[in-house]
């Protein structure tokens, strides 16, 4: 996150224009109005000279249905014009089947009240899915909105068969333990996971294969209401949210599950005590195919982390040598959202990271042996993202053509950004990139894809909310109503397979499992999925593996599953257009 030149406008950083690009790090990009190229600001010249790659035709089409489905959530940042940094960063959602009835429920994470705020009180909400209709069950659940919320993650921390909820916050985080009857209790103190620093994302995963879920918490910076600073241009009367480097970054925290739903802080013991980064996003998945969950952390104006699991639950830092710490130009970018997926279909897991405007979003193609190549320009997502400030991001096969498309939720930080940077906008459109099948993406037009929202978006999650076999989208918008987009592509777009896992004696919910699916025909290409908790930005998506296939009623499907503990199974003769649940024996 960059505060539209908060520190730069105030004169705390020296910038220089060199070769048409800024030197001096990420904050320089937001001060583009200070460097002129042929009478235009560099920002404006970039916007004019880089065309968008658009596709008028697409099989992907969505319709906004939040009101129709009874999903009525409005985020509150609790600001009162004092420009507290926290108010522009938050707004999360957790998609999880809290009642075990087989469909995806929604927990929206609201903000809170800051000094001087007198508006409607914030209220995080649990919405039960009753099949294309959602019911507010927050009061019955006993989950209280008594914190300034950021995001969250869900997992079965105590091994009792239902999903518990961990919420991050500006203040102490909370663990809500699921009783299995639709109610929860605050188990934070008993579990020992009450991180009190400003946390953003968090992920449950099983890095040591001991059958329970550990917890990685991504912490941001040491901003408080007491050390709040003025950032902006006093002479012009322009105030902005401060850059993250105005404050010191916090180190992240790792909690190891003792096996009974209580945790011990084990950051140093796991090899995760390192130079802190201003963390915003995290994904915990197997990046090198060795069967052990690694960590990738998106940091804001500090290098991103790739923390490789050695195979014993401890980690080594491969951030620099892996090629994913910096941009292709050698800068630490403003990493926010992150996801993992095999977008080029070569059988390994690639990484996508959202960044600030004029940086472009990052796409790191896995070339094996923990080495990644920055492929944002080759893959065609860089030019289209250069004037966007992106947060949520997800891979998904939204048109069932057997490759992963890319969805990005955008929105600026400062309301008056157009005054500071010509060509920039506060409210920004969503972007849906269609995979061409050749390792490249093309940006689809809003008129064609139906994603008409122009908002200040933060969290993004995906789930088959209506159980019709395709992937729907949930978007949380800062200080605004959430959007829910039903996938309207229909059966004509292709076939599908959805897989739920119930492991025996390993990570509950199948977290960390690796799945491969293909048609039963000679030469059919395998598709790779992983079951992961945290993805995107301040969000968790449905714990279901979703595969798309070109339509072929006569061709059965085959599936290979590597369970979280390492056991592998292969199943053949599967019918298309089914959701199946596999139970490990």
């Amino acid at each position: 996150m960059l505060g539209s030149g908060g520190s730069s406008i105030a004169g705390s950083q020296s910038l220089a224009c060199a070769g048409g690009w800024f030197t001096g790090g990420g904050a320089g990009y937001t001060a583009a109005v200070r460097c002129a190229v042929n009478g235009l600001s560099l920002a404006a010249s970039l916007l004019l000279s880089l065309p968008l790659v658009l596709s008028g035709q697409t099989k992907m089409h969505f319709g906004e249905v939040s009101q129709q489905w009874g999903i009525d959530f409005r985020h509150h940042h609790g600001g009162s014009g004092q420009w507290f940094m926290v108010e522009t960063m938050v707004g999360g959602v957790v998609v999880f089947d809290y009642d075990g009835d087989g469909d995806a429920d929604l927990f929206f994470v609201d903000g809170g009240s800051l000094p001087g705020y007198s508006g409607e009180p914030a209220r995080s909400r649990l919405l039960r899915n009753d099949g294309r209709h959602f019911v507010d069950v927050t009061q019955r659940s006993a989950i209280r909105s008594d914190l300034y919320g950021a995001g969250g993650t869900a997992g079965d921390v105590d091994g009792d068969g239902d999903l518990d909820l961990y919420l991050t916050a500006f203040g102490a985080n909370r663990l809500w333990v699921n009783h299995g009857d639709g109610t929860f209790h605050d188990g934070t103190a008993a579990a020992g996971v009450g991180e009190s620093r400003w946390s953003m994302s968090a992920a449950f995963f099983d890095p040591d294969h001991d059958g329970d879920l550990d917890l990685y918490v991504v912490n941001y910076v040491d901003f408080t209401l007491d050390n709040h600073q003025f950032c902006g241009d006093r002479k012009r009367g322009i105030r902005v949210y401060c850059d993250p480097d105005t404050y010191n970054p916090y180190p992240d925290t790792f909690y190891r599950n003792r096996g009974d739903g209580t945790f011990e802080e084990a950051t140093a013991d796991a090899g995760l005590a390192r130079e802190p980064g201003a963390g915003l996003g995290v994904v915990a998945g197997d990046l090198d195919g060795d069967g052990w969950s690694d960590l990738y952390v998106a940091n804001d104006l500090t290098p991103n982390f790739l923390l490789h699991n050695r195979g014993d639950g401890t980690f080594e830092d491969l951030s620099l040598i892996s090629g994913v710490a910096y941009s292709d130009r050698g800068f630490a970018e403003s990493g926010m959202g992150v996801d993992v997926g095999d977008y080029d279909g070569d059988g390994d897991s690639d990484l996508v990271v959202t960044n600030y405007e004029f940086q472009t979003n990052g796409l790191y193609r896995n070339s094996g042996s923990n080495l990644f190549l920055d492929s944002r320009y080759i893959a065609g997502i860089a030019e289209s993202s250069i004037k966007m400030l992106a947060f949520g991001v997800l891979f998904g096969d939204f048109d069932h053509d057997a490759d992963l498309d890319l969805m990005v939720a955008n929105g600026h930080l400062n309301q008056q950004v157009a005054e500071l940077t010509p060509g920039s906008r506060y409210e920004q459109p969503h972007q849906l990139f269609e995979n061409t099948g050749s390792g490249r993406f093309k940006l689809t037009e809003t008129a064609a894809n139906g994603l008409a929202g122009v908002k200040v978006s933060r969290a993004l999650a995906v789930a088959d909310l209506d159980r019709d076999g395709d992937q729907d989208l949930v978007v949380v918008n800062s200080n605004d109503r959430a959007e829910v987009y039903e996938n309207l592509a229909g059966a004509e777009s292709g076939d599908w397979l959805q897989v739920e896992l119930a492991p025996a004696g390993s990570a509950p919910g199948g977290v960390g499992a690796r799945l491969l699916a293909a048609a039963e025909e000679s030469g059919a290409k395998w598709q790779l999925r992983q079951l992961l908790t945290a993805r995107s930005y301040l969000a968790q998506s449905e714990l279901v593996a979703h595969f798309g296939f070109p339509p072929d009623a006569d061709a059965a499907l085959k599936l290979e599953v590597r369970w979280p503990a390492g056991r592998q199974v292969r199943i053949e003769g599967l019918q298309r257009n089914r959701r199946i649940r596999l139970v490990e024996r």
Side-chain angles (χ1 to χ4, degrees):
M1 185 275 287
L2 297 170
S4 260
S7 60
S8 301
I9 293 174
S12 64
Q13 183 167 357
S14 175
L15 303 173
C17 290
W21 292 92
F22 283 110
T23 60
Y29 290 96
T30 60
V33 293
R34 304 185 112 197
C35 295
V37 179
N38 296 328
L40 288 173
S41 72
L42 181 55
S45 63
L46 283 171
L47 296 177
L48 293 174
S49 63
L50 290 175
L52 296 181
V53 181
L54 295 176
S55 167
Q57 301 296 321
T58 178
K59 292 189 295 182
M60 295 183 287
H61 187 68
F62 293 81
E64 210 288 320
V65 293
S66 57
Q67 183 175 359
Q68 179 183 338
W69 288 2
I71 301 173
D72 181 17
F73 170 76
R74 181 183 180 89
H75 177 260
H76 303 81
H77 68 37
S80 61
Q82 299 186 57
W83 298 89
F84 293 112
M85 184 182 184
V86 63
E87 65 196 41
T88 195
M89 298 297 297
V90 297
V93 63
V94 179
V95 182
F96 72 129
D97 182 10
Y98 84 95
D99 53 2
D101 65 352
D103 52 29
D105 309 300
L106 301 173
F107 188 88
F108 287 101
V109 185
D110 210 346
S113 297
L114 295 169
Y117 177 73
S118 59
E120 181 181 54
R123 181 172 179 256
S124 296
R125 300 179 68 186
L126 177 62
L127 303 181
R128 187 184 69 226
N129 188 341
D130 285 348
R132 291 194 178 219
H133 180 69
F134 286 77
V135 178
D136 188 340
V137 294
T138 313
Q139 184 172 355
R140 182 184 184 278
S141 74
I143 299 176
R144 300 188 305 276
S145 300
D146 56 354
L147 70 160
Y148 193 100
T153 186
D156 184 3
V157 301
D158 49 9
D160 63 353
D162 47 43
L163 295 176
D164 309 297
L165 182 65
Y166 187 76
L167 300 179
T168 60
F170 176 60
N173 298 343
R174 294 291 177 82
L175 174 66
W176 292 98
V177 178
N178 194 335
H179 296 160
D181 60 0
T183 65
F184 294 74
H185 76 269
D186 184 349
T188 313
V193 290
E195 171 61 76
S196 59
R197 293 170 289 194
W198 179 6
S199 302
M200 294 298 282
S201 296
F204 285 119
F205 68 130
D206 184 14
D208 47 9
H209 287 188
D210 64 352
D212 53 42
L213 293 177
D214 304 320
L215 176 64
Y216 188 88
V217 180
V218 176
N219 298 316
Y220 194 38
V221 297
D222 67 351
F223 164 81
T224 67
L225 299 181
D226 292 331
N227 68 10
H228 175 50
Q229 299 186 34
F230 178 97
C231 291
D233 189 330
R234 292 184 185 273
K235 291 183 178 180
R236 295 172 61 192
I238 298 176
R239 190 167 186 177
V240 298
Y241 294 109
C242 291
D243 291 350
D245 53 8
T246 306
Y247 304 94
N248 295 318
Y250 276 140
D252 297 339
T253 307
F254 174 70
Y255 295 101
R256 182 180 291 124
N257 196 325
R258 296 188 177 97
D260 58 0
T262 67
F263 294 77
E264 59 181 346
E265 194 279 312
T267 312
D269 188 56
L272 292 169
R274 48 159 298 126
E275 189 73 19
L280 290 176
V282 64
V283 64
D286 182 4
L287 298 179
D288 57 357
D290 65 354
W292 298 85
S293 293
D294 311 299
L295 288 163
Y296 186 71
V297 180
N299 291 318
D300 194 356
L301 284 183
T302 55
N304 297 331
F305 300 156
L306 193 154
L307 306 169
H308 174 249
N309 194 327
R310 292 188 174 98
D312 57 3
T314 66
F315 295 81
E316 58 182 330
D317 186 352
L318 300 184
S319 307
L320 184 60
I321 63 173
S322 66
V324 297
Y326 297 94
S327 74
D328 58 336
R329 297 179 180 273
F331 292 121
E333 296 182 302
S334 300
M336 286 172 277
V338 61
D339 198 15
V340 58
D342 181 14
Y343 81 91
D344 55 359
D346 64 353
D348 51 30
S349 295
D350 312 301
L351 291 164
V352 62
V353 186
T354 53
N355 292 311
Y356 204 79
E357 63 178 351
F358 309 130
Q359 293 179 350
T360 79
N361 295 331
L363 186 66
Y364 298 97
R365 182 172 63 83
N366 195 331
S367 62
S369 302
N370 288 305
L371 296 175
F372 292 78
L373 300 177
D374 193 323
S375 301
R376 67 185 75 187
Y377 286 96
I378 296 172
I381 71 166
E383 294 89 343
S384 300
S385 66
I386 197 165
K387 65 178 182 179
M388 298 295 175
L389 200 166
F391 281 88
V393 62
L394 285 170
F395 288 115
D397 188 356
F398 302 116
D399 52 5
H400 291 167
D401 63 352
D403 53 36
L404 290 176
D405 311 300
L406 188 64
M407 171 67 183
V408 182
N410 301 301
H412 214 284
L413 299 168
N414 293 297
Q415 295 92 320
Q416 74 286 50
V417 63
E419 188 177 351
L420 291 166
T421 309
S424 294
R425 288 184 288 178
Y426 181 52
E427 296 178 330
Q428 299 181 358
H430 309 309
Q431 290 181 306
L432 181 61
F433 294 86
E434 183 176 353
N435 195 325
T436 65
S438 59
R440 285 186 57 83
F441 295 91
K442 55 186 179 183
L443 179 64
T444 63
E445 294 178 350
T446 300
N449 65 37
L451 298 169
V454 181
K455 302 286 186 178
V456 183
S457 299
R458 297 295 181 255
L460 169 67
V462 65
D464 184 2
L465 294 174
D466 53 0
R467 292 296 299 268
D468 65 349
D470 50 33
Q471 294 181 295
D472 310 306
L473 298 167
V474 182
V475 184
V476 177
N477 300 309
S478 177
N479 215 39
D480 201 349
R481 295 192 178 279
E483 298 168 292
V484 177
Y485 288 95
E486 179 187 5
N487 193 327
L488 301 173
E492 66 275 7
S493 69
D495 297 333
W496 53 274
L497 175 70
Q498 295 177 349
V499 185
E500 299 179 51
L501 296 182
S506 58
V511 175
R514 172 188 167 103
L515 302 93
L516 295 166
E520 283 190 350
E521 56 187 39
S522 178
K525 187 165 71 172
W526 290 93
Q527 299 180 51
L528 170 64
R529 303 287 188 271
Q530 295 188 56
L531 287 183
L532 309 177
T533 56
R535 299 167 59 195
S536 185
Y537 179 80
L538 306 184
Q540 177 162 313
S541 292
E542 185 179 25
L543 284 172
V544 174
H546 181 99
F547 300 90
F549 302 91
D552 186 348
D554 297 326
L557 303 175
K558 54 188 176 182
L559 176 71
E560 291 188 359
V561 177
R562 187 182 67 198
W563 296 92
R567 181 185 174 192
Q568 299 188 50
V569 62
R570 178 166 177 159
I571 305 170
E572 298 182 347
L574 292 172
Q575 291 185 340
R576 292 168 176 247
N577 304 320
R578 299 285 190 276
R579 177 180 286 204
I580 64 173
R581 187 171 189 266
L582 299 183
V583 179
E584 186 179 20
R585 301 295 187 187

